Amino acid sequence: MSMRKTSPMPALTLAAFIAAPALTASPAFANDALVELAKDPSNWVMTGRDYSANNYSEMDQINSENVTELRSAWSFSTGVLHGHEGTPLVIGDVMYVHSPFPNTTFALDLNEPGKIIWQNKPKQNPTARSVACCDVVNRGLAYWPGDDEVEPLIFRTQLDGHIMAMSAETGETRWVMENSDIKVGSTLTIAPYVIKDNVIVGSSGAELGVRGYVTAYNVKTGEQVWRAFATGPDEDMRLSADFNAPNPHYGQWGLGLDTWEGDAWKIGGGTNWGWYAYDPDEDTFYYGSGNAAPWNETMRPGDNKWTNSIWGRDPDDGMARFAYQKTPHDEWDYAGVNVMMLSEQEDKDGNMRKLLTHPDRNGIVYTLDRTTGDLVSADKVDDTVNWTKTVQLDTGLPVRDPEFGTRMDHKSRDICPSAMGYHNQGHDSYDPERQLFFMGLNHICMDWEPFMLPYRAGQFFVGATLWMYPGPKGDRQNDLGLGQVKAYDAITGEFKWEVMERFAVWGGTMATAGGLTFYGTLDGFIKARDSDTGDLLWKYRLPSGAIGHPMTYEHDGTQYIAIYYGVGGWPGVGLVFDLQDPTAGLGSVGAFKRLQEYTQMGGGIMVFSLDGRSPYSDPNVGEYQPNEG
Amino acid sequence: MKRTLAIAAGLAAGLAFGAGALAYDGTNCSAPGNCWEPKPGYPETVEGTKYDPQHDPAELSKQAESLAAMDERNAMRVKHFKETGEFVYDVSKIPGAN
């Protein structure tokens, strides 16, 4: 067993927060400090843990031999219900916890987790809730380590469209900017992402016809640095002079207009509410743009670029180096915003490649060369995917099966995946030793019938009725068997193991050097599987279903595993809003009608360790001490 | 502005590949990155057909107007923050901002 006890950076105690900027030499860029902080497995400084977004920890104190001794160490209720997505951050002695609407942020003292160091609770217009398509979730916080001018900061997005910076030490608000306007149906659920001295913010609202964009703000002042759209003129999309030069067949110039009829691109969707990854050496960050609007494909002829695309952009000026459209002319709401995981692996020809692997909503897991955008592999995550026969690696084009397309005046049946995808917002993991991706998957198919509707800013602009149900490997009679977990090799395309789950594995996974893969389930468990075999080694009954990803950190020599509980999100819409019509909740109510038999709403965090060791193993820690005299 | 989508490609595909290619499978491209075709029995362009979305230009412009207004308010906040070191969200309370 090995676990680093000495941090490359000193643990950031409260005193250190104040003293650090004055005492330490300022690194060239703040993100260098973030890279260094992430190297210490005791920290978890961003979504995905570090810029490779692998959700992988080198720690092995908890391993496949002793995981049966894992017990709850402590817990914390956020005081709100609804879906709890994402994962908390840990920097030094502090855990930063976020919540769904109203998006309160908490800082907890890891030396005494019963103590809330600070909380920042925003006042938001409750109308924001009415334009959230899929529950009032939020995917996480971001951290900027500070420099000799400004103290370390925590960043938060709010459902009402604001991005704000607060002091990591005190929680005091530093600045607040408007990024999205709920009056036009534009909200924020994505976690902010810090690269150098910029904080990157995505967008939500394609179900209300919002044209997607990504924006960078200066971490210190909130000043807008750049903004890039997913559709429209090339200058709006910020395409670099050599955009897609290595792969001109992906398309290059003018397509943000030419692949739409008329002005439909102005309400064309392509929002990004998923996750980011960043390669500091290539100085490029990666993300996916979402679905086109409306869902009614007949109302928007064309490839609808650049919705549903994988992007590589320069974080300083936002200029796009490449984009690859996965689902041209989307007909199924395959919003292409899913997780991006970076790795370095040998390809089939034995060449070491810098890669990006991305399990998309459309049932294909894509691996691209992240320096060029070259397509390396594109495999079905399950053999029941039927909208496409195959993805041609030379042209990059998916060969559509017309039988499973959608169109006006027609009800399509048995399309797989459904609009919820074979993979959704879950942040998965990659084990660099085993060279395996551990993917939490959905197994849901659908019937789909579009209808005509007008666009009115601020109103829903969907235009399709859906019926969703378990895929062919599930139990359609009893509406169970809606999920899978698989270990995937991106080079060979093989699955080392795969298991079925009762419900969709919505929250993602986390892998550790202890040979374990952790994930939460909608029916209210955190589970640990053997990374080599997929065998279920341990589980624990959480208060409510989990839709976030597990994380791990070390504190005072003890490795902890933490996960949010609080069911919700798209699969929980029926339960959360008490809906009965199977086509309600954009079709998810029918698919998840059994969920309420296994869980109810909740909201909080559960933390685990071997034998449940915690700061309170000494019961006197944190006890009230009456004033002397 | 009216745009014509892949008419040439649609015709060419039909001639080159026969009836099978008429079903839109995404592989017949009019230009790199432009491979859409209408499905059999569906129009090349929807304007003037029963599938015309008849978008109201005033509605289509609301998002851009909203972004411009937010950006303008943010710029006032940033300017005041930089100048004074004090952050004020409510632009009506920023001296000289209105």
Side-chain angles (χ1 to χ4, degrees), chain A residues 162 178 181 209 211 223 258 261 303 305 331 400 406 408-409 457, chain B residues 2-3 33 35 39 42 46 51 59 63 66 73-74 77 82 89:
Chain A
H162 290 98
E178 296 175 85
D181 184 355
R211 177 190 179 206
E223 184 168 18
D258 292 348
E261 182 180 326
D303 274 354
K305 282 184 167 59
E331 303 182 8
R400 308 159 87 97
T406 70
M408 272 298 293
D409 305 320
Chain B
K2 189 88 193 99
R3 285 175 185 278
C35 311
K39 291 168 185 168
Y42 287 77
V46 290
Y51 302 124
E59 292 289 336
Q63 292 181 36
S66 158
R73 289 192 292 271
N74 286 343
R77 292 168 184 136
K82 280 180 166 178
Y89 176 80

PDB file of all heavy atoms in Angstrom, chain A residues 162 178 181 209 211 223 258 261 303 305 331 400 406 408-409 457, chain B residues 2-3 33 35 39 42 46 51 59 63 66 73-74 77 82 89:
ATOM      1  N   HIS A 162     -26.351  33.374 -13.760  1.00  0.00           N
ATOM      2  CA  HIS A 162     -25.187  34.113 -13.273  1.00  0.00           C
ATOM      3  C   HIS A 162     -23.972  33.219 -13.077  1.00  0.00           C
ATOM      4  O   HIS A 162     -24.101  32.057 -12.708  1.00  0.00           O
ATOM      5  CB  HIS A 162     -25.520  34.806 -11.942  1.00  0.00           C
ATOM      6  CG  HIS A 162     -26.477  35.944 -12.081  1.00  0.00           C
ATOM      7  ND1 HIS A 162     -27.830  35.821 -11.839  1.00  0.00           N
ATOM      8  CD2 HIS A 162     -26.270  37.236 -12.463  1.00  0.00           C
ATOM      9  CE1 HIS A 162     -28.420  36.988 -12.054  1.00  0.00           C
ATOM     10  NE2 HIS A 162     -27.500  37.860 -12.436  1.00  0.00           N
ATOM     11  N   GLU A 178     -23.742  38.380 -15.539  1.00  0.00           N
ATOM     12  CA  GLU A 178     -24.863  37.737 -16.227  1.00  0.00           C
ATOM     13  C   GLU A 178     -24.344  37.014 -17.469  1.00  0.00           C
ATOM     14  O   GLU A 178     -23.763  37.643 -18.350  1.00  0.00           O
ATOM     15  CB  GLU A 178     -25.882  38.788 -16.681  1.00  0.00           C
ATOM     16  CG  GLU A 178     -26.566  39.540 -15.561  1.00  0.00           C
ATOM     17  CD  GLU A 178     -27.456  40.633 -16.117  1.00  0.00           C
ATOM     18  OE1 GLU A 178     -28.606  40.351 -16.461  1.00  0.00           O
ATOM     19  OE2 GLU A 178     -26.980  41.792 -16.215  1.00  0.00           O
ATOM     20  N   ASP A 181     -29.876  34.485 -19.905  1.00  0.00           N
ATOM     21  CA  ASP A 181     -31.094  35.213 -19.563  1.00  0.00           C
ATOM     22  C   ASP A 181     -32.273  34.241 -19.526  1.00  0.00           C
ATOM     23  O   ASP A 181     -32.664  33.693 -20.568  1.00  0.00           O
ATOM     24  CB  ASP A 181     -31.325  36.304 -20.612  1.00  0.00           C
ATOM     25  CG  ASP A 181     -32.525  37.188 -20.275  1.00  0.00           C
ATOM     26  OD1 ASP A 181     -33.225  36.898 -19.277  1.00  0.00           O
ATOM     27  OD2 ASP A 181     -32.760  38.159 -21.022  1.00  0.00           O
ATOM     28  N   GLY A 209     -34.947  26.431 -27.511  1.00  0.00           N
ATOM     29  CA  GLY A 209     -34.429  27.080 -28.711  1.00  0.00           C
ATOM     30  C   GLY A 209     -33.243  27.996 -28.481  1.00  0.00           C
ATOM     31  O   GLY A 209     -32.961  28.868 -29.314  1.00  0.00           O
ATOM     32  N   ARG A 211     -29.640  29.279 -28.707  1.00  0.00           N
ATOM     33  CA  ARG A 211     -28.430  29.084 -29.506  1.00  0.00           C
ATOM     34  C   ARG A 211     -27.239  28.998 -28.540  1.00  0.00           C
ATOM     35  O   ARG A 211     -27.021  29.910 -27.740  1.00  0.00           O
ATOM     36  CB  ARG A 211     -28.285  30.274 -30.454  1.00  0.00           C
ATOM     37  CG  ARG A 211     -27.042  30.281 -31.306  1.00  0.00           C
ATOM     38  CD  ARG A 211     -26.929  31.633 -31.999  1.00  0.00           C
ATOM     39  NE  ARG A 211     -25.745  31.723 -32.826  1.00  0.00           N
ATOM     40  CZ  ARG A 211     -25.143  32.878 -33.122  1.00  0.00           C
ATOM     41  NH1 ARG A 211     -25.620  34.022 -32.656  1.00  0.00           N
ATOM     42  NH2 ARG A 211     -24.076  32.882 -33.883  1.00  0.00           N
ATOM     43  N   GLU A 223     -14.387  40.142 -16.214  1.00  0.00           N
ATOM     44  CA  GLU A 223     -14.456  40.734 -17.551  1.00  0.00           C
ATOM     45  C   GLU A 223     -14.516  39.623 -18.605  1.00  0.00           C
ATOM     46  O   GLU A 223     -13.750  38.667 -18.540  1.00  0.00           O
ATOM     47  CB  GLU A 223     -13.218  41.607 -17.801  1.00  0.00           C
ATOM     48  CG  GLU A 223     -13.265  42.339 -19.120  1.00  0.00           C
ATOM     49  CD  GLU A 223     -12.169  43.411 -19.203  1.00  0.00           C
ATOM     50  OE1 GLU A 223     -11.198  43.343 -18.416  1.00  0.00           O
ATOM     51  OE2 GLU A 223     -12.309  44.303 -20.062  1.00  0.00           O
ATOM     52  N   ASP A 258     -24.628  27.587 -43.803  1.00  0.00           N
ATOM     53  CA  ASP A 258     -25.010  26.817 -44.999  1.00  0.00           C
ATOM     54  C   ASP A 258     -25.738  25.515 -44.675  1.00  0.00           C
ATOM     55  O   ASP A 258     -26.403  24.959 -45.548  1.00  0.00           O
ATOM     56  CB  ASP A 258     -23.763  26.480 -45.830  1.00  0.00           C
ATOM     57  CG  ASP A 258     -23.154  27.715 -46.461  1.00  0.00           C
ATOM     58  OD1 ASP A 258     -23.814  28.762 -46.437  1.00  0.00           O
ATOM     59  OD2 ASP A 258     -22.019  27.632 -46.969  1.00  0.00           O
ATOM     60  N   GLU A 261     -31.484  26.181 -42.987  1.00  0.00           N
ATOM     61  CA  GLU A 261     -32.326  26.934 -43.916  1.00  0.00           C
ATOM     62  C   GLU A 261     -32.709  28.270 -43.274  1.00  0.00           C
ATOM     63  O   GLU A 261     -33.264  28.292 -42.170  1.00  0.00           O
ATOM     64  CB  GLU A 261     -33.598  26.143 -44.273  1.00  0.00           C
ATOM     65  CG  GLU A 261     -34.483  26.882 -45.282  1.00  0.00           C
ATOM     66  CD  GLU A 261     -35.759  26.107 -45.634  1.00  0.00           C
ATOM     67  OE1 GLU A 261     -35.711  24.869 -45.671  1.00  0.00           O
ATOM     68  OE2 GLU A 261     -36.788  26.777 -45.849  1.00  0.00           O
ATOM     69  N   ASP A 303     -27.485  19.808 -42.117  1.00  0.00           N
ATOM     70  CA  ASP A 303     -26.639  19.128 -41.123  1.00  0.00           C
ATOM     71  C   ASP A 303     -26.653  19.851 -39.773  1.00  0.00           C
ATOM     72  O   ASP A 303     -26.206  19.307 -38.769  1.00  0.00           O
ATOM     73  CB  ASP A 303     -25.199  19.023 -41.628  1.00  0.00           C
ATOM     74  CG  ASP A 303     -24.979  17.784 -42.492  1.00  0.00           C
ATOM     75  OD1 ASP A 303     -25.914  16.963 -42.588  1.00  0.00           O
ATOM     76  OD2 ASP A 303     -23.890  17.644 -43.072  1.00  0.00           O
ATOM     77  N   LYS A 305     -24.855  22.364 -38.489  1.00  0.00           N
ATOM     78  CA  LYS A 305     -23.558  22.557 -37.832  1.00  0.00           C
ATOM     79  C   LYS A 305     -23.528  23.879 -37.078  1.00  0.00           C
ATOM     80  O   LYS A 305     -24.247  24.794 -37.425  1.00  0.00           O
ATOM     81  CB  LYS A 305     -22.431  22.531 -38.872  1.00  0.00           C
ATOM     82  CG  LYS A 305     -22.127  21.080 -39.276  1.00  0.00           C
ATOM     83  CD  LYS A 305     -20.971  20.987 -40.218  1.00  0.00           C
ATOM     84  CE  LYS A 305     -20.482  19.565 -40.355  1.00  0.00           C
ATOM     85  NZ  LYS A 305     -21.476  18.610 -40.829  1.00  0.00           N
ATOM     86  N   GLU A 331     -31.853  13.775 -35.125  1.00  0.00           N
ATOM     87  CA  GLU A 331     -33.291  13.438 -35.179  1.00  0.00           C
ATOM     88  C   GLU A 331     -33.768  12.774 -33.905  1.00  0.00           C
ATOM     89  O   GLU A 331     -34.880  12.249 -33.846  1.00  0.00           O
ATOM     90  CB  GLU A 331     -33.546  12.500 -36.375  1.00  0.00           C
ATOM     91  CG  GLU A 331     -33.096  13.079 -37.693  1.00  0.00           C
ATOM     92  CD  GLU A 331     -33.380  12.168 -38.887  1.00  0.00           C
ATOM     93  OE1 GLU A 331     -34.062  11.141 -38.725  1.00  0.00           O
ATOM     94  OE2 GLU A 331     -32.904  12.505 -39.983  1.00  0.00           O
ATOM     95  N   ARG A 400     -26.536   6.227 -41.621  1.00  0.00           N
ATOM     96  CA  ARG A 400     -27.837   6.181 -40.942  1.00  0.00           C
ATOM     97  C   ARG A 400     -28.669   5.018 -41.460  1.00  0.00           C
ATOM     98  O   ARG A 400     -28.624   4.707 -42.656  1.00  0.00           O
ATOM     99  CB  ARG A 400     -28.578   7.497 -41.184  1.00  0.00           C
ATOM    100  CG  ARG A 400     -27.768   8.708 -40.837  1.00  0.00           C
ATOM    101  CD  ARG A 400     -28.300   9.935 -41.537  1.00  0.00           C
ATOM    102  NE  ARG A 400     -29.354  10.579 -40.789  1.00  0.00           N
ATOM    103  CZ  ARG A 400     -29.163  11.625 -39.985  1.00  0.00           C
ATOM    104  NH1 ARG A 400     -27.956  12.134 -39.826  1.00  0.00           N
ATOM    105  NH2 ARG A 400     -30.166  12.156 -39.351  1.00  0.00           N
ATOM    106  N   THR A 406     -36.340   9.845 -37.667  1.00  0.00           N
ATOM    107  CA  THR A 406     -37.638  10.404 -37.277  1.00  0.00           C
ATOM    108  C   THR A 406     -38.052  11.416 -38.333  1.00  0.00           C
ATOM    109  O   THR A 406     -37.206  11.975 -39.040  1.00  0.00           O
ATOM    110  CB  THR A 406     -37.594  11.077 -35.895  1.00  0.00           C
ATOM    111  OG1 THR A 406     -36.814  12.279 -35.971  1.00  0.00           O
ATOM    112  CG2 THR A 406     -36.988  10.157 -34.844  1.00  0.00           C
ATOM    113  N   MET A 408     -41.761  14.113 -39.646  1.00  0.00           N
ATOM    114  CA  MET A 408     -43.153  14.538 -39.437  1.00  0.00           C
ATOM    115  C   MET A 408     -44.129  13.528 -40.031  1.00  0.00           C
ATOM    116  O   MET A 408     -43.828  12.850 -41.025  1.00  0.00           O
ATOM    117  CB  MET A 408     -43.381  15.907 -40.096  1.00  0.00           C
ATOM    118  CG  MET A 408     -43.076  17.107 -39.221  1.00  0.00           C
ATOM    119  SD  MET A 408     -44.118  17.170 -37.743  1.00  0.00           S
ATOM    120  CE  MET A 408     -45.726  17.482 -38.488  1.00  0.00           C
ATOM    121  N   ASP A 409     -45.307  13.484 -39.449  1.00  0.00           N
ATOM    122  CA  ASP A 409     -46.400  12.607 -39.900  1.00  0.00           C
ATOM    123  C   ASP A 409     -46.008  11.135 -39.833  1.00  0.00           C
ATOM    124  O   ASP A 409     -46.446  10.317 -40.655  1.00  0.00           O
ATOM    125  CB  ASP A 409     -46.837  12.964 -41.344  1.00  0.00           C
ATOM    126  CG  ASP A 409     -47.211  14.429 -41.466  1.00  0.00           C
ATOM    127  OD1 ASP A 409     -47.843  14.946 -40.529  1.00  0.00           O
ATOM    128  OD2 ASP A 409     -46.854  15.049 -42.473  1.00  0.00           O
ATOM    129  N   ALA A 457     -39.789  33.118 -27.736  1.00  0.00           N
ATOM    130  CA  ALA A 457     -38.664  33.209 -26.802  1.00  0.00           C
ATOM    131  C   ALA A 457     -39.145  33.032 -25.367  1.00  0.00           C
ATOM    132  O   ALA A 457     -40.087  33.709 -24.938  1.00  0.00           O
ATOM    133  CB  ALA A 457     -37.953  34.551 -26.968  1.00  0.00           C
TER     134      ALA A 457
ATOM    135  N   LYS B   2     -32.463  33.409 -47.986  1.00  0.00           N
ATOM    136  CA  LYS B   2     -32.869  32.039 -48.327  1.00  0.00           C
ATOM    137  C   LYS B   2     -31.646  31.248 -48.762  1.00  0.00           C
ATOM    138  O   LYS B   2     -30.814  31.714 -49.512  1.00  0.00           O
ATOM    139  CB  LYS B   2     -33.864  32.141 -49.482  1.00  0.00           C
ATOM    140  CG  LYS B   2     -34.536  30.853 -49.797  1.00  0.00           C
ATOM    141  CD  LYS B   2     -35.778  30.687 -48.946  1.00  0.00           C
ATOM    142  CE  LYS B   2     -36.240  29.252 -49.062  1.00  0.00           C
ATOM    143  NZ  LYS B   2     -35.821  28.470 -47.947  1.00  0.00           N
ATOM    144  N   ARG B   3     -31.542  30.046 -48.277  1.00  0.00           N
ATOM    145  CA  ARG B   3     -30.408  29.214 -48.674  1.00  0.00           C
ATOM    146  C   ARG B   3     -30.901  27.932 -49.314  1.00  0.00           C
ATOM    147  O   ARG B   3     -31.861  27.336 -48.880  1.00  0.00           O
ATOM    148  CB  ARG B   3     -29.540  28.873 -47.456  1.00  0.00           C
ATOM    149  CG  ARG B   3     -28.730  30.055 -47.058  1.00  0.00           C
ATOM    150  CD  ARG B   3     -27.946  29.820 -45.804  1.00  0.00           C
ATOM    151  NE  ARG B   3     -27.320  31.079 -45.479  1.00  0.00           N
ATOM    152  CZ  ARG B   3     -26.188  31.487 -46.040  1.00  0.00           C
ATOM    153  NH1 ARG B   3     -25.542  30.727 -46.898  1.00  0.00           N
ATOM    154  NH2 ARG B   3     -25.689  32.645 -45.727  1.00  0.00           N
ATOM    155  N   GLY B  33     -18.652  18.260 -45.153  1.00  0.00           N
ATOM    156  CA  GLY B  33     -19.401  18.712 -43.980  1.00  0.00           C
ATOM    157  C   GLY B  33     -20.838  19.076 -44.282  1.00  0.00           C
ATOM    158  O   GLY B  33     -21.513  19.633 -43.430  1.00  0.00           O
ATOM    159  N   CYS B  35     -23.952  17.068 -45.802  1.00  0.00           N
ATOM    160  CA  CYS B  35     -24.374  15.761 -46.325  1.00  0.00           C
ATOM    161  C   CYS B  35     -25.862  15.497 -46.121  1.00  0.00           C
ATOM    162  O   CYS B  35     -26.319  14.366 -46.255  1.00  0.00           O
ATOM    163  CB  CYS B  35     -23.559  14.643 -45.663  1.00  0.00           C
ATOM    164  SG  CYS B  35     -21.775  14.945 -45.679  1.00  0.00           S
ATOM    165  N   LYS B  39     -35.701  13.483 -46.999  1.00  0.00           N
ATOM    166  CA  LYS B  39     -36.184  12.103 -47.044  1.00  0.00           C
ATOM    167  C   LYS B  39     -37.211  11.949 -48.163  1.00  0.00           C
ATOM    168  O   LYS B  39     -37.820  12.953 -48.577  1.00  0.00           O
ATOM    169  CB  LYS B  39     -36.798  11.754 -45.685  1.00  0.00           C
ATOM    170  CG  LYS B  39     -35.727  11.681 -44.607  1.00  0.00           C
ATOM    171  CD  LYS B  39     -36.302  11.619 -43.218  1.00  0.00           C
ATOM    172  CE  LYS B  39     -35.142  11.683 -42.243  1.00  0.00           C
ATOM    173  NZ  LYS B  39     -35.552  11.919 -40.872  1.00  0.00           N
ATOM    174  N   TYR B  42     -40.321  14.287 -48.762  1.00  0.00           N
ATOM    175  CA  TYR B  42     -40.189  15.503 -47.934  1.00  0.00           C
ATOM    176  C   TYR B  42     -39.453  16.571 -48.730  1.00  0.00           C
ATOM    177  O   TYR B  42     -38.625  16.260 -49.597  1.00  0.00           O
ATOM    178  CB  TYR B  42     -39.471  15.186 -46.621  1.00  0.00           C
ATOM    179  CG  TYR B  42     -40.350  14.407 -45.668  1.00  0.00           C
ATOM    180  CD1 TYR B  42     -40.573  13.045 -45.857  1.00  0.00           C
ATOM    181  CD2 TYR B  42     -41.003  15.033 -44.620  1.00  0.00           C
ATOM    182  CE1 TYR B  42     -41.407  12.330 -45.021  1.00  0.00           C
ATOM    183  CE2 TYR B  42     -41.840  14.332 -43.770  1.00  0.00           C
ATOM    184  CZ  TYR B  42     -42.042  12.977 -43.972  1.00  0.00           C
ATOM    185  OH  TYR B  42     -42.873  12.274 -43.150  1.00  0.00           O
ATOM    186  N   VAL B  46     -38.167  23.920 -46.525  1.00  0.00           N
ATOM    187  CA  VAL B  46     -39.498  23.860 -45.907  1.00  0.00           C
ATOM    188  C   VAL B  46     -40.304  25.138 -46.095  1.00  0.00           C
ATOM    189  O   VAL B  46     -41.525  25.128 -45.929  1.00  0.00           O
ATOM    190  CB  VAL B  46     -39.412  23.510 -44.401  1.00  0.00           C
ATOM    191  CG1 VAL B  46     -38.970  22.071 -44.247  1.00  0.00           C
ATOM    192  CG2 VAL B  46     -38.510  24.473 -43.652  1.00  0.00           C
ATOM    193  N   TYR B  51     -44.651  22.278 -43.874  1.00  0.00           N
ATOM    194  CA  TYR B  51     -43.724  22.191 -42.734  1.00  0.00           C
ATOM    195  C   TYR B  51     -42.984  23.513 -42.489  1.00  0.00           C
ATOM    196  O   TYR B  51     -41.999  23.549 -41.753  1.00  0.00           O
ATOM    197  CB  TYR B  51     -42.709  21.071 -42.964  1.00  0.00           C
ATOM    198  CG  TYR B  51     -43.364  19.728 -43.179  1.00  0.00           C
ATOM    199  CD1 TYR B  51     -43.101  18.992 -44.341  1.00  0.00           C
ATOM    200  CD2 TYR B  51     -44.228  19.194 -42.239  1.00  0.00           C
ATOM    201  CE1 TYR B  51     -43.697  17.750 -44.543  1.00  0.00           C
ATOM    202  CE2 TYR B  51     -44.831  17.963 -42.434  1.00  0.00           C
ATOM    203  CZ  TYR B  51     -44.566  17.241 -43.586  1.00  0.00           C
ATOM    204  OH  TYR B  51     -45.156  16.025 -43.781  1.00  0.00           O
ATOM    205  N   GLU B  59     -39.054  37.397 -32.908  1.00  0.00           N
ATOM    206  CA  GLU B  59     -38.749  36.389 -31.893  1.00  0.00           C
ATOM    207  C   GLU B  59     -37.314  35.891 -32.054  1.00  0.00           C
ATOM    208  O   GLU B  59     -36.592  35.700 -31.066  1.00  0.00           O
ATOM    209  CB  GLU B  59     -39.731  35.211 -31.997  1.00  0.00           C
ATOM    210  CG  GLU B  59     -41.163  35.547 -31.607  1.00  0.00           C
ATOM    211  CD  GLU B  59     -41.325  35.782 -30.110  1.00  0.00           C
ATOM    212  OE1 GLU B  59     -40.513  35.270 -29.320  1.00  0.00           O
ATOM    213  OE2 GLU B  59     -42.251  36.516 -29.724  1.00  0.00           O
ATOM    214  N   GLN B  63     -32.810  36.680 -28.561  1.00  0.00           N
ATOM    215  CA  GLN B  63     -31.636  36.172 -27.824  1.00  0.00           C
ATOM    216  C   GLN B  63     -30.430  37.087 -28.001  1.00  0.00           C
ATOM    217  O   GLN B  63     -29.727  37.392 -27.030  1.00  0.00           O
ATOM    218  CB  GLN B  63     -31.288  34.756 -28.283  1.00  0.00           C
ATOM    219  CG  GLN B  63     -32.343  33.732 -27.898  1.00  0.00           C
ATOM    220  CD  GLN B  63     -31.966  32.333 -28.342  1.00  0.00           C
ATOM    221  OE1 GLN B  63     -30.798  31.963 -28.325  1.00  0.00           O
ATOM    222  NE2 GLN B  63     -32.953  31.559 -28.739  1.00  0.00           N
ATOM    223  N   SER B  66     -30.866  40.194 -25.985  1.00  0.00           N
ATOM    224  CA  SER B  66     -30.686  39.928 -24.564  1.00  0.00           C
ATOM    225  C   SER B  66     -29.200  39.813 -24.206  1.00  0.00           C
ATOM    226  O   SER B  66     -28.742  40.359 -23.196  1.00  0.00           O
ATOM    227  CB  SER B  66     -31.435  38.637 -24.202  1.00  0.00           C
ATOM    228  OG  SER B  66     -30.904  38.080 -23.043  1.00  0.00           O
ATOM    229  N   ARG B  73     -24.336  45.559 -19.420  1.00  0.00           N
ATOM    230  CA  ARG B  73     -24.403  45.712 -17.955  1.00  0.00           C
ATOM    231  C   ARG B  73     -23.135  45.163 -17.302  1.00  0.00           C
ATOM    232  O   ARG B  73     -22.584  45.765 -16.373  1.00  0.00           O
ATOM    233  CB  ARG B  73     -25.650  45.012 -17.410  1.00  0.00           C
ATOM    234  CG  ARG B  73     -26.959  45.709 -17.746  1.00  0.00           C
ATOM    235  CD  ARG B  73     -28.132  45.147 -16.951  1.00  0.00           C
ATOM    236  NE  ARG B  73     -28.472  43.781 -17.321  1.00  0.00           N
ATOM    237  CZ  ARG B  73     -29.338  43.463 -18.284  1.00  0.00           C
ATOM    238  NH1 ARG B  73     -29.945  44.403 -18.968  1.00  0.00           N
ATOM    239  NH2 ARG B  73     -29.600  42.191 -18.554  1.00  0.00           N
ATOM    240  N   ASN B  74     -22.677  44.008 -17.795  1.00  0.00           N
ATOM    241  CA  ASN B  74     -21.453  43.420 -17.230  1.00  0.00           C
ATOM    242  C   ASN B  74     -20.258  44.363 -17.397  1.00  0.00           C
ATOM    243  O   ASN B  74     -19.424  44.503 -16.502  1.00  0.00           O
ATOM    244  CB  ASN B  74     -21.137  42.078 -17.902  1.00  0.00           C
ATOM    245  CG  ASN B  74     -22.076  40.966 -17.441  1.00  0.00           C
ATOM    246  OD1 ASN B  74     -22.749  41.094 -16.427  1.00  0.00           O
ATOM    247  ND2 ASN B  74     -22.098  39.877 -18.203  1.00  0.00           N
ATOM    248  N   ARG B  77     -20.253  46.897 -14.768  1.00  0.00           N
ATOM    249  CA  ARG B  77     -19.835  46.309 -13.478  1.00  0.00           C
ATOM    250  C   ARG B  77     -18.319  46.151 -13.420  1.00  0.00           C
ATOM    251  O   ARG B  77     -17.687  46.472 -12.409  1.00  0.00           O
ATOM    252  CB  ARG B  77     -20.506  44.935 -13.297  1.00  0.00           C
ATOM    253  CG  ARG B  77     -22.006  45.032 -13.106  1.00  0.00           C
ATOM    254  CD  ARG B  77     -22.692  43.675 -13.227  1.00  0.00           C
ATOM    255  NE  ARG B  77     -24.138  43.851 -13.137  1.00  0.00           N
ATOM    256  CZ  ARG B  77     -25.036  43.261 -13.913  1.00  0.00           C
ATOM    257  NH1 ARG B  77     -24.657  42.395 -14.850  1.00  0.00           N
ATOM    258  NH2 ARG B  77     -26.321  43.499 -13.755  1.00  0.00           N
ATOM    259  N   LYS B  82     -13.008  47.612 -11.514  1.00  0.00           N
ATOM    260  CA  LYS B  82     -11.588  47.879 -11.777  1.00  0.00           C
ATOM    261  C   LYS B  82     -11.187  49.255 -11.237  1.00  0.00           C
ATOM    262  O   LYS B  82     -10.106  49.430 -10.696  1.00  0.00           O
ATOM    263  CB  LYS B  82     -11.315  47.838 -13.286  1.00  0.00           C
ATOM    264  CG  LYS B  82     -11.161  46.441 -13.862  1.00  0.00           C
ATOM    265  CD  LYS B  82     -10.889  46.590 -15.357  1.00  0.00           C
ATOM    266  CE  LYS B  82     -10.394  45.308 -15.982  1.00  0.00           C
ATOM    267  NZ  LYS B  82     -10.205  45.495 -17.433  1.00  0.00           N
ATOM    268  N   TYR B  89     -23.287  45.041  -8.230  1.00  0.00           N
ATOM    269  CA  TYR B  89     -24.037  44.297  -9.254  1.00  0.00           C
ATOM    270  C   TYR B  89     -25.120  45.158  -9.895  1.00  0.00           C
ATOM    271  O   TYR B  89     -25.283  45.168 -11.112  1.00  0.00           O
ATOM    272  CB  TYR B  89     -24.672  43.057  -8.628  1.00  0.00           C
ATOM    273  CG  TYR B  89     -25.543  42.306  -9.612  1.00  0.00           C
ATOM    274  CD1 TYR B  89     -24.967  41.460 -10.549  1.00  0.00           C
ATOM    275  CD2 TYR B  89     -26.936  42.480  -9.628  1.00  0.00           C
ATOM    276  CE1 TYR B  89     -25.736  40.791 -11.481  1.00  0.00           C
ATOM    277  CE2 TYR B  89     -27.722  41.819 -10.565  1.00  0.00           C
ATOM    278  CZ  TYR B  89     -27.122  40.975 -11.482  1.00  0.00           C
ATOM    279  OH  TYR B  89     -27.891  40.323 -12.397  1.00  0.00           O
TER     280      TYR B  89
END
